[in-house]
Amino acid sequence: MSNITNDKVEKYITERTHAVSNIQEEMELYAKENVVPIVTRDTLALLKTIVHINKPYNILEFGTAIGYSSIMICTELKGNCKITTIERNEKRYLKAIEYVKRAGFQDEIDIINVDVLEAGAIIENGLYDLVFIDAAKGQYRLFFDMIFEKVRSGGIIISDNIFHKAMVCEPEICSVERRQRTIYRRMNQYLDYLTTENESFYTTLVPIGDGLAITYKR
Ligand code: SAH
Ligand code: MG
């Protein structure tokens, strides 16, 4: 498995995406030391651009980890948003609570400690402008089907880590490690589904970070 991007290019871009706060740098360090897979700086830069273009208010995130992407998006929107974010891992959830409090976004970011697959009732009454899918890679299609009706027309669904270190892009399953094959199969089905021409949405696959799918709901 390898980086999906050219190392030189990624380094170049990363050097040009600056931290906006001490808390950002601290979270990046914590994530590195504790091997928490937060979005890369180049992916974050694109997310910020997307929120400026689409100006979402109601945001839903699957996979909070320590709250990095949520806090960064909320910061970029100057707190003018309502983010619901879901995390099943208790240690990460508690860390996220701590960082969100320190960032001063307790009123804007609602973190829920539950498995996304059990979160149906939580998202039931929502209508979202932006959904960020960044949790278990084998279930993206399930997650997508859970939220699609809850996204407003003109809204955006972003899926992260779609290429999983380029493993997903192997032309043949036989060159994929056995324990990765379920993810390989399911992610390929998901990306085929997202990119099939249809009336409901339009998707572009972006080779940034670990791979990003940006879906526009028509
Ligand atoms: N969005 C974060 C990173 C999330 S990492 C950021 O960029 O800052 C992915 C997280 O999803 C992990 O913390 C993992 O515990 C969580 N996760 C994976 N599958 C999940 C599920 N089914 N329900 C809830 N959380 C899940
Ligand atoms: Mg991710």
Side-chain angles (χ1 to χ4, degrees):
M1 300 218 275
S2 54
N3 282 353
I4 69 160
T5 49
N6 177 309
D7 289 342
K8 245 190 298 186
V9 176
E10 183 171 339
K11 180 165 179 280
Y12 186 92
I13 298 173
T14 301
E15 283 167 1
R16 282 158 185 77
T17 60
H18 307 287
V20 296
S21 61
N22 291 338
I23 202 168
Q24 177 177 1
E25 289 181 325
E26 199 184 316
M27 291 177 90
E28 288 169 354
L29 193 67
Y30 178 92
K32 197 169 175 188
E33 284 172 354
N34 295 277
V35 207
V36 182
I38 60 171
V39 285
T40 56
R41 280 234 188 142
D42 52 351
T43 299
L44 178 62
L46 181 56
L47 290 180
K48 288 184 183 183
T49 301
I50 291 169
V51 300
H52 283 304
I53 296 170
N54 205 250
K55 302 187 173 37
Y57 184 79
N58 274 321
I59 300 174
L60 176 66
E61 177 180 65
F62 287 168
T64 318
I66 58 170
Y68 180 80
S69 47
S70 278
I71 291 172
M72 289 306 121
I73 287 170
C74 193
T75 303
E76 196 61 27
L77 289 168
K78 298 193 160 44
N80 193 16
C81 57
K82 181 88 196 141
I83 304 181
T84 302
T85 179
I86 298 174
E87 174 57 55
R88 68 178 170 194
N89 177 299
E90 195 183 4
K91 185 175 170 205
R92 288 182 181 172
Y93 162 78
L94 292 172
K95 204 72 200 168
I97 294 263
E98 183 189 319
Y99 280 125
V100 164
K101 210 175 273 173
R102 276 180 50 197
F105 288 138
Q106 312 89 291
D107 295 337
E108 290 79 12
I109 304 177
D110 195 8
I111 317 170
I112 298 162
N113 186 203
V114 70
D115 194 296
V116 171
L117 299 173
E118 280 148 32
I122 292 155
I123 61 175
E124 180 125 51
N125 297 315
L127 183 63
Y128 300 99
D129 307 302
L130 175 73
V131 178
F132 185 40
I133 299 177
D134 194 16
K137 287 179 278 287
Q139 324 225 255
Y140 275 23
R141 176 62 196 274
L142 223 77
F143 296 158
F144 187 92
D145 289 345
M146 269 178 86
I147 55 89
F148 191 72
E149 289 307 316
K150 309 281 166 208
V151 178
R152 74 161 164 90
S153 142
I156 305 274
I157 301 151
I158 301 174
S159 312
D160 192 30
N161 306 93
I162 55 163
F163 294 146
H164 192 30
K165 306 266 172 213
M167 178 275 279
V168 169
C169 311
E170 288 294 337
E172 301 286 347
I173 197 165
C174 54
S175 39
V176 174
E177 266 183 70
R178 208 158 276 277
R179 60 190 177 86
Q180 301 274 3
R181 286 186 183 173
T182 304
I183 291 178
Y184 172 88
R185 216 178 281 118
R186 290 189 184 170
M187 193 58 93
N188 271 289
Q189 283 164 359
Y190 178 60
L191 298 180
D192 288 346
Y193 171 71
L194 288 187
T195 53
T196 299
E197 200 41 47
N198 72 88
E199 308 246 289
S200 309
F201 55 81
Y202 172 75
T203 301
T204 179
L205 308 182
V206 186
I208 195 169
D210 196 27
L212 212 61
I214 304 172
T215 302
Y216 172 77
K217 181 163 172 177
R218 302 191 206 264

